[in-house]
Amino acid sequence: MTHSEKVRHPVTLDVVCQGDAWEMGLAQGTALGKKIRKALEVFTELEAVQLAKARWMPLSVFRRLAEFKAKKILTRGLTETLPTANARLRGIAKGARLTPRSICLLNAMEPVMSDLTQVAVVPVAAACSAVAVTKTSSADGQPIVAHNFDYLPMVRPLYTLRECRPQGRLRSLEFMAAPMCGAVDGINEAGLCITYNYAHTTDGKRPAPTLSMWIAEALATCRTVVEAAELLTRATRWGGGLLMLADAEGNIASLELSSTKAELRWPRSGEDRIFHSNRFHTKTMRPVEVAEEAVFSCRAPQALRDRRIHQSADVRDCQFVEKFMKVDCFDSAQIHEVMSDHGPEGRPSADTICMHSDYWHTTACLQFFPGQRKLRAAYNNACEAEFVEFAL
C-alpha cells in the first residue's frame, strides 16, 4: 500500500447518531449518503456478484432481484424481532435518498447472495482474526482485544466509525461499513467490547436480524460478557460468526454462532487469553460448519477456486498457538506485533494473520481497551497500521 492510499482512507469519527432508532438512521444516511450510494456501485463491481448472476441476465435486473429478496426477508425478520433495526434501516434509506430495498441489500448481502445462487459458500464474506487478553496477562492490568478485519480492498473507502447515542440506552463507538445499521465491531460506555469474524455455516437462512444488527443491539443494552452472550444466544438471527467479547471487569470469551446453534467458549483453565479466526472450536458448532475438506468451486472468484475453504483459518490458528499463546505478558505494541505476523518465513499471504492475498487483505485493524472505554483503529494492513485513538 502506498502512502497516498493511506491518505485516501483516514480514520475519522464520521457520524454521531442520537435520538430514537429512526433519527439515528436518518443522521447516518444524511451524513454518509455519498458513501452509501457508492456502496451500490461497489456491489455491482464485485467479482462474486458478476459470477452469481445468469449470463443472460442484465446486472441491473439481478441487483433488483437481490434487493427485493433482501427486503422481503429482512422486513419479515425485523418487524417483530428487532424493530429498532427496522426503524434505523428506514432512516438510513431516507437520509441517503435511496429505497429501503437497496439499504436492505447492503445490510444482508452475503446471505442474500447465497440464497440467490443456491451455493453453500459465497466468497463475499471474508477472513478475520481476533485475540483477547485478561487483566492478568496485560502489562497495564487492563484487558485488551485486537481484531484484523480481512476483506476486499475495494470496500475500504466505505469503512466508517460512528458514535451512537441511542435514547435511553448505552452510548457506543462502532466500526462498520457506511450502509450498515448494525456494527462489525464496537465498544460501549460500560466497557463491553464485541468484534465480529465470519464463519462458514450450513444450517440455512431464515427471516431474522443479521449478526451485525444484534451486535449493535447488544452494545446498546448490555454491560458484561455474560449479558451480551445471553442476548445473542437467545436471539433469532441470520448468519454465522465468531464474536470476541470482553468487558471492563476483565472477562473475555469467544461466542460461536450460526442461525440455529450457539456456544460460548471461555479461556481454558489456567489460561488468561483466547483467540479465533474463522473456524469453530467447540463440538456443539462443528456439525453446522462447512465440511473439513470443502473447496471453493468454479462459482467462486478466480483467485479462490479449488482452494480449501478452511485452509487459511487452520494455518492462522496454528500461528496463534505459536505467537500468541506462548507469550507471558502483553501491551498494545506486543498485541499488534502478533496481529502483524507474516508467518514463520516472513512471507505475507492468504494464510498469515496479517493477510495479503490475491483476493482478501487485512483492510482494517482495531484494538479495544474496555477498562478505558477506548479504541484504536487503522484502515491498513496490520503491518502498516498507523492507529488513531478514540474514546467515549
Side-chain angles (χ1 to χ4, degrees):
M1 178 180 294
T2 66
H3 177 69
S4 62
E5 285 178 314
K6 295 179 187 178
V7 172
R8 283 200 296 270
H9 308 297
V11 181
T12 60
L13 183 60
D14 299 290
V15 60
V16 176
C17 305
Q18 58 186 354
D20 63 24
W22 191 86
E23 291 169 333
M24 291 175 66
L26 181 65
Q28 180 175 329
T30 302
L32 304 177
K34 185 176 180 180
K35 275 189 175 184
I36 294 169
R37 292 187 292 274
K38 177 66 177 177
L40 287 173
E41 297 178 24
V42 171
F43 172 81
T44 61
E45 295 169 3
L46 292 171
E47 185 182 357
V49 172
Q50 301 283 348
L51 291 167
K53 74 176 187 66
R55 292 184 180 181
W56 54 266
M57 183 181 291
L59 193 56
S60 60
V61 175
F62 179 80
R63 194 187 97 181
R64 195 172 301 117
L65 177 63
E67 288 179 344
F68 278 110
K69 184 75 175 180
K71 186 175 186 296
K72 179 181 178 181
I73 295 175
L74 279 185
T75 299
R76 289 171 58 197
L78 294 179
T79 302
E80 295 183 2
T81 305
L82 196 57
T84 53
N86 195 36
R88 190 184 287 199
L89 279 175
R90 290 188 286 105
I92 293 171
K94 177 71 172 179
R97 304 193 306 276
L98 289 171
T99 63
R101 67 174 186 266
S102 293
I103 298 300
C104 285
L105 173 62
L106 295 172
N107 275 266
M109 187 165 58
E110 285 88 359
V112 166
M113 286 282 292
S114 181
D115 187 77
L116 286 170
T117 56
Q118 297 181 337
V119 295
V121 177
V122 175
V124 175
C128 300
S129 299
V131 300
V133 299
T134 65
K135 297 177 179 180
T136 56
S137 60
S138 172
D140 63 359
Q142 297 293 327
I144 305 173
V145 176
H147 185 213
N148 283 0
F149 186 62
D150 304 334
Y151 213 82
L152 304 173
M154 66 189 299
V155 180
R156 187 186 284 117
L158 305 179
Y159 290 170
T160 298
L161 193 67
R162 75 182 175 205
E163 181 178 342
C164 291
R165 302 174 181 175
Q167 185 175 324
R169 297 174 141 204
L170 296 168
R171 293 182 298 120
S172 59
L173 287 170
E174 299 174 0
F175 165 69
M176 23 68 83
M180 293 176 66
C181 77
V184 176
D185 297 346
I187 188 168
N188 70 16
E189 63 180 294
L192 174 68
C193 164
I194 306 176
T195 73
Y196 178 15
N197 288 17
Y198 293 109
H200 300 296
T201 55
T202 61
D203 55 343
K205 300 159 289 297
R206 54 183 174 175
T210 64
L211 291 185
S212 64
M213 294 173 185
W214 280 115
I215 290 172
E217 179 71 8
L219 291 169
T221 59
C222 301
R223 294 178 173 273
T224 66
V225 167
V226 171
E227 289 179 6
E230 289 177 349
L231 171 68
L232 293 161
T233 297
R234 69 172 182 264
T236 302
R237 57 192 179 271
W238 182 13
L242 299 99
L243 309 188
M244 191 64 76
L245 308 177
D247 61 33
E249 297 176 3
N251 300 304
I252 60 173
S254 171
L255 179 60
E256 301 183 351
L257 295 168
S258 72
S259 293
T260 63
K261 291 181 177 292
E263 185 75 10
L264 186 64
R265 180 170 67 95
W266 298 93
R268 288 184 291 188
S269 178
E271 294 182 349
D272 49 13
R273 64 201 68 184
I274 198 167
F275 68 85
H276 59 225
S277 56
N278 305 94
R279 292 219 64 180
F280 293 140
H281 289 248
T282 63
K283 292 181 180 179
T284 298
M285 301 303 296
R286 284 296 173 93
V288 294
E289 187 174 53
V290 167
E292 178 76 23
E293 298 304 322
V295 299
F296 288 113
S297 73
C298 62
R299 301 293 299 276
Q302 184 69 43
L304 299 176
R305 293 176 189 176
D306 298 323
R307 180 178 175 84
R308 194 170 69 88
I309 291 170
H310 295 305
Q311 167 72 19
S312 176
D314 286 344
V315 175
R316 282 180 285 131
D317 282 349
C318 289
Q319 291 170 357
F320 277 125
V321 171
E322 293 297 318
K323 298 288 185 177
F324 178 62
M325 299 303 290
K326 296 181 179 180
V327 177
D328 291 332
C329 191
F330 290 95
D331 58 21
S332 60
Q334 291 167 310
I335 289 275
H336 180 56
E337 183 177 347
V338 170
M339 303 306 283
S340 302
D341 187 68
H342 288 161
E345 298 180 357
R347 296 178 182 175
S349 71
D351 296 335
T352 53
I353 295 170
C354 179
M355 184 172 291
H356 303 243
S357 77
D358 294 333
Y359 193 68
W360 293 315
H361 291 256
T362 297
T363 52
C365 313
L366 297 100
Q367 294 183 340
F368 297 87
F369 305 87
Q372 299 163 296
R373 281 69 167 172
K374 73 178 184 181
L375 66 81
R376 303 170 70 217
Y379 300 159
N380 305 84
N381 281 97
C383 60
E384 297 175 314
E386 298 176 4
F387 288 105
V388 181
E389 187 171 301
F390 302 87
L392 287 167

